[in-house]
Amino acid sequence: MEQENMTNVCGLCQQRSVSKLLVIFLGILCLFFLVKTYGSLKENSFIGQDIYPQTTISVIGDGEVSAVPDIATFSFSVTKEAKTVEDAQVAAGKIMSEALTFLKESEVEEKNIKTSGYNIYPQYEWISKEIACYGYNCPTPDRERKLIGYEVSQNISVRLDDIDKAGEVLSGLGSVEVSNLSGLNFEIDDEDELRREAREMAITEAKEKAKALAKDLGVSLVRMTSYSSNEGSNYPVPMYAEKAVYGLGGDSEGNSVEIPVGENEINIKVYLTYEIK
């Protein structure tokens, strides 16, 4: 009986030992899978992302294209004053009508004539009240603001597709006594194509610089990692020619004022970065 009890105790101890080993084994297995899962998640976080190379070179390319402008833009205004708004509008409208008629007779398309502003301003005058005072300690006279009339102003912007008519049109508008002629600019109508040409020149130059630099450094170009550009601006360069001389007003002897058309320069810079090895 005693031997049988001892056998049962030993069997129970063995079962407990096996259970502990099983628990330890399962714990280690779970820990292994947790570590494995974390590593996989960390690796997956980089999927679809570019790993920026540590070794790179950067170069700059310049492209410049010049062209003679083919359109002109300018603006003018008509301003009149009168005691009433209606009278000021009538006076301004008469001159504006003459100016618009002249533009149409000069074959300027209606779509290229645009009102850019129409304003009505009241005109005031400060009047001092008379004070009967004799001596040195007279008080400062009171002043009051009095409405004396109105000013009406209309602004027009014009685009000329035929740049050769610029002098004729400006001179004609001056003859109808418009209030102000300003903002004469010479522009290029289809500038996108010129920008593309300048950009292509800049990219070609930058690529050649990158190849030469890599050769001097004794390395190889792997791939382009970044591109950016500065579209630049147009810079007027005076260029005196026959087309640049227009009659603008002039004197009794027919002398004219010279208006240089010049050239517009389109300059574009590109910035390229390459991975090297």
Side-chain angles (χ1 to χ4, degrees), residues 3-16:
Q3 186 176 1
E4 184 178 351
N5 290 334
M6 290 295 293
T7 300
N8 291 335
V9 172
C10 290
L12 183 60
C13 290
Q14 290 178 351
Q15 289 179 358
R16 290 180 177 177

Side-chain angles (χ1 to χ4, degrees), residues 81-257:
E81 296 180 359
K83 291 188 177 296
T84 66
V85 174
E86 183 179 1
D87 289 344
Q89 286 178 319
V90 170
K94 181 180 178 181
I95 295 179
M96 183 59 70
S97 179
E98 294 178 7
L100 295 178
T101 298
F102 170 76
L103 289 175
K104 292 177 182 179
E105 291 175 350
S106 300
E107 300 181 348
V108 179
E109 297 185 42
E110 288 189 17
K111 67 178 183 179
N112 293 334
I113 305 171
K114 180 180 179 181
T115 297
S116 56
Y118 191 94
N119 303 289
I120 300 175
Y121 299 106
Q123 302 296 300
Y124 294 96
E125 183 180 76
W126 287 97
I127 300 176
S128 299
K129 295 181 179 180
E130 293 185 3
I131 299 176
C133 176
Y134 305 95
Y136 297 99
N137 296 320
C138 293
T140 303
D142 293 334
R143 302 179 66 196
E144 64 177 0
R145 193 173 67 164
K146 182 179 179 181
L147 179 65
I148 60 173
Y150 295 88
E151 178 186 276
V152 172
S153 176
Q154 183 175 1
N155 304 314
I156 301 291
S157 59
V158 181
R159 165 179 161 146
L160 297 178
D161 292 329
D162 186 354
I163 200 171
D164 293 336
K165 290 185 176 181
E168 175 188 343
V169 171
L170 292 175
S171 181
L173 288 173
S175 67
V176 299
E177 299 181 356
V178 298
S179 302
N180 184 37
L181 274 167
S182 61
L184 178 60
N185 294 308
F186 296 107
E187 303 171 4
I188 300 170
D189 189 19
D190 186 11
E191 200 172 90
D192 291 341
E193 179 61 26
L194 295 176
R195 287 188 176 278
R196 187 202 63 79
E197 184 179 343
R199 188 182 304 110
E200 183 179 349
M201 293 171 59
I203 291 174
T204 300
E205 180 182 285
K207 287 182 176 180
E208 291 176 353
K209 285 183 178 180
K211 292 178 181 177
L213 181 58
K215 182 179 179 181
D216 293 341
L217 294 173
V219 297
S220 300
L221 299 177
V222 178
R223 65 188 177 103
M224 187 187 303
T225 60
S226 70
Y227 164 85
S228 61
S229 69
N230 177 8
E231 290 298 315
S233 304
N234 296 342
Y235 301 97
V237 179
M239 179 188 70
Y240 293 86
E242 277 189 26
K243 289 186 178 181
V245 181
Y246 300 120
L248 186 59
D251 55 23
S252 59
E253 298 180 357
N255 296 325
S256 60
V257 178

